[in-house]
Amino acid sequence: MSSDTIHVYDTWVTGKNGRIHFDVMTTDEATALKLAKEYLISIGEPTATITTKECQFCHSEPLSMFSAEQQKQAKEKGGFIVRMPT
């Protein structure tokens, strides 16, 4: 994968108050799962199940279509989260 492309992992988990939908934008599955777990902890859902069943590769996007801050997170943290409507 080149540094100007990022993979989209479509993620649906069941939280305390129902379904949570977000995309993990990163370069590989292991990082996607790690970032998803960190995100769930940050929103108060540390016990939500997150596996490759909930977090699935969807497609790839050019990194240039995202904000400068998101591109910075991709370089520094290996990816970023995009919240989606449920």
Side-chain angles (χ1 to χ4, degrees), residues 1 3 7-8 20 22 27 30 37 44 47 52 75 79 84:
M1 187 195 92
S3 61
H7 298 322
V8 180
I20 302 165
F22 58 95
T27 56
K37 186 64 176 171
T47 60
T52 53
K75 288 178 178 60
M84 306 297 285

Side-chain angles (χ1 to χ4, degrees), residues 4-68:
D4 57 354
T5 302
I6 198 151
H7 298 322
V8 180
Y9 288 82
D10 187 39
T11 308
W12 287 88
V13 298
T14 302
K16 292 177 257 191
N17 298 314
R19 303 278 277 155
I20 302 165
H21 184 205
F22 58 95
D23 285 346
V24 183
M25 318 302 275
T26 189
T27 56
D28 63 88
E29 189 174 86
T31 304
L33 292 171
K34 176 180 165 283
L35 293 171
K37 186 64 176 171
E38 289 171 359
Y39 175 69
L40 290 167
I41 291 167
S42 79
I43 63 167
E45 294 284 356
T47 60
T49 300
I50 185 73
T51 68
T52 53
K53 181 175 175 245
E54 291 81 23
C55 183
Q56 296 185 354
F57 173 76
C58 185
H59 62 281
S60 298
E61 294 282 357
L63 188 55
S64 61
M65 74 177 277
F66 296 97
S67 72

